[in-house]
Amino acid sequence: MANQTRESAVALAKELFNLSGRVAIVTGGAGLLGPMHAEILAAAGANVVLLDLKNGKAASEAARLREEYGTDCIGLTTDITNAGDIDAARQEILGHFKRVDILINNAANNPDPIGLADLRFEHLSLEHWEADIRVGLTGAFLSSRAFGTEMVKQGKGVIVNVASDLSVIAPDQRIYRLDGLSDDEQPVKQVTHSVVKTGLIGLTRYLATYWAQSGVRVNAISPGGVYNSQPIEFLSRIEQLIPLGRLARKDEIQGAILFLCSDASSYMTGHNLVLDGGRSIL
Ligand SMILES: NC(=O)c1ccc[n+]([C@@H]2O[C@H](COP(=O)([O-])OP(=O)(O)OC[C@H]3O[C@@H](n4cnc5c(N)ncnc54)[C@H](O)[C@@H]3O)[C@@H](O)[C@H]2O)c1
């Protein structure tokens, strides 16, 4: 096969990350990272739908993206754990855009702070367990079923599941310790985080082969921690576990999102792309 011409390579370099005209859905679109995912997709030309329980913020973020990038962005109030809500969102999105090209399963349950020791395995309530699994896994299942099925009908689409570094390593509970508390009062990373994030990799692999012949690619990203005003004591402990010596800035996840949502990753499916400053290689 002949080498590419310069012109075709230049055209490819421009087109690989171009999402013009594509319709992208971001669940948990009103949190810390959802708006960042939405922003890079809109900047690449996509029309973005932000789904969240928090309507005010999803709608205001969508308005900001419309203004900033000139693409058609909307915010919808949707509880992704509710099949009826998901179906209503599907109908509204298809009515408006006629298609769905990209789904980012990003939402996670971060309830208001509860007693720190209540997160410990021995005390974690069934209610808390079920709430975390419902958002993280059931929500991703319902969203993938509704929107992935539309992609199958189109013969093309992309799903990205947002896991975390705890999809590939265990939590190091020592980094969460607080002075002055006994061992059984110490805060921990709750078990549901490990279970949900590892489960999302299972969903990723399952759908990657299930829809491989339907033109739908399914990948995951596993970011490490992102700076968000964490206590200095915690930061100094976790930074020592990371070869790059720091957490991520929230804009450092955007490159992976754009890569996996675009044709630049057209030969990738079933992959878990780890962005953790090297933490999981130690
Ligand atoms: N922030 C980090 O350091 C970090 C690191 C690694 C992975 N992650 C993952 O990235 C994703 C986004 O994280 P974040 O920091 O932006 O979290 P966040 O808590 O700021 O945002 C999550 C969003 O999901 C929404 N949500 C919760 N339940 C919902 C439901 N039933 N229906 C619809 N929306 C719902 C919330 O309202 C919130 O806006 C999560 O999956 C998280 O686990 C975050």
Side-chain angles (χ1 to χ4, degrees):
M1 193 173 134
N3 286 341
Q4 273 180 316
T5 62
R6 182 183 180 283
E7 289 71 24
S8 66
V10 169
L12 187 63
K14 279 192 185 144
E15 271 314 298
L16 278 179
F17 295 97
N18 182 3
L19 300 180
S20 294
R22 296 194 202 169
V23 177
I25 298 169
V26 181
T27 73
L32 177 72
L33 296 180
M36 302 300 290
H37 306 330
E39 178 124 22
I40 196 67
L41 298 176
N47 304 312
V48 186
V49 183
L50 296 94
L51 300 186
D52 207 292
L53 296 170
K54 305 178 200 159
N55 179 42
K57 179 142 184 243
S60 64
E61 280 296 327
R64 190 182 65 77
L65 296 176
R66 274 199 308 275
E67 179 78 13
E68 195 73 41
Y69 301 103
T71 62
D72 190 0
C73 299
I74 57 174
L76 298 179
T77 309
T78 306
D79 178 353
I80 60 157
T81 70
N82 181 311
D85 265 27
I86 289 281
D87 195 49
R90 186 184 62 82
Q91 287 185 37
E92 186 153 353
I93 291 163
L94 289 179
H96 188 78
F97 293 106
K98 316 286 180 234
R99 56 184 300 110
V100 179
D101 301 284
I102 295 164
L103 167 66
I104 303 187
N105 283 316
N106 168 76
N109 197 37
N110 280 327
D112 292 337
I114 55 173
L116 292 177
D118 293 342
L119 293 176
R120 296 188 67 80
F121 189 80
E122 300 85 345
H123 306 305
L124 194 83
S125 68
L126 177 60
E127 191 185 24
H128 190 126
W129 165 273
E130 288 181 341
D132 287 359
I133 302 284
R134 267 185 87 75
V135 179
L137 288 180
T138 309
F141 156 66
L142 290 173
S143 303
S144 302
R145 192 178 67 175
F147 302 119
T149 302
E150 295 304 324
M151 296 174 195
V152 169
K153 287 183 203 160
Q154 293 163 192
K156 190 171 181 193
V158 175
I159 297 175
V160 177
N161 293 319
V162 179
S164 86
D165 54 0
L166 296 188
S167 75
V168 290
I169 57 173
D172 184 337
Q173 304 293 6
R174 294 170 298 184
I175 62 178
Y176 305 104
R177 286 185 73 87
L178 295 176
D179 289 341
L181 295 177
S182 62
D183 281 355
D184 61 359
E185 293 171 327
Q186 289 292 341
V188 292
K189 179 64 88 175
Q190 68 271 36
V191 63
T192 43
H193 191 91
S194 290
V195 171
V196 165
K197 297 312 185 186
T198 308
L200 281 174
I201 305 307
L203 180 68
T204 302
R205 293 202 186 105
Y206 182 93
L207 289 179
T209 57
Y210 192 81
W211 280 332
Q213 302 304 313
S214 306
V216 178
R217 299 187 296 110
V218 186
N219 291 291
I221 61 166
S222 281
V226 175
Y227 283 117
N228 185 27
S229 312
Q230 290 94 341
I232 197 85
E233 176 97 334
F234 168 80
L235 287 176
S236 64
R237 284 186 191 143
I238 195 170
E239 284 168 354
Q240 285 174 30
L241 300 176
I242 302 171
L244 291 187
R246 61 180 180 84
L247 299 189
R249 298 186 315 268
K250 62 181 185 168
D251 65 358
E252 288 182 301
I253 316 300
Q254 290 177 308
I257 289 287
L258 179 56
F259 172 60
L260 289 177
C261 290
S262 67
D263 295 345
S265 59
S266 59
Y267 196 54
M268 282 176 72
T269 198
H271 188 66
N272 180 16
L273 187 55
V274 178
L275 302 98
D276 66 350
R279 181 172 172 192
S280 60
I281 61 170
L282 293 178

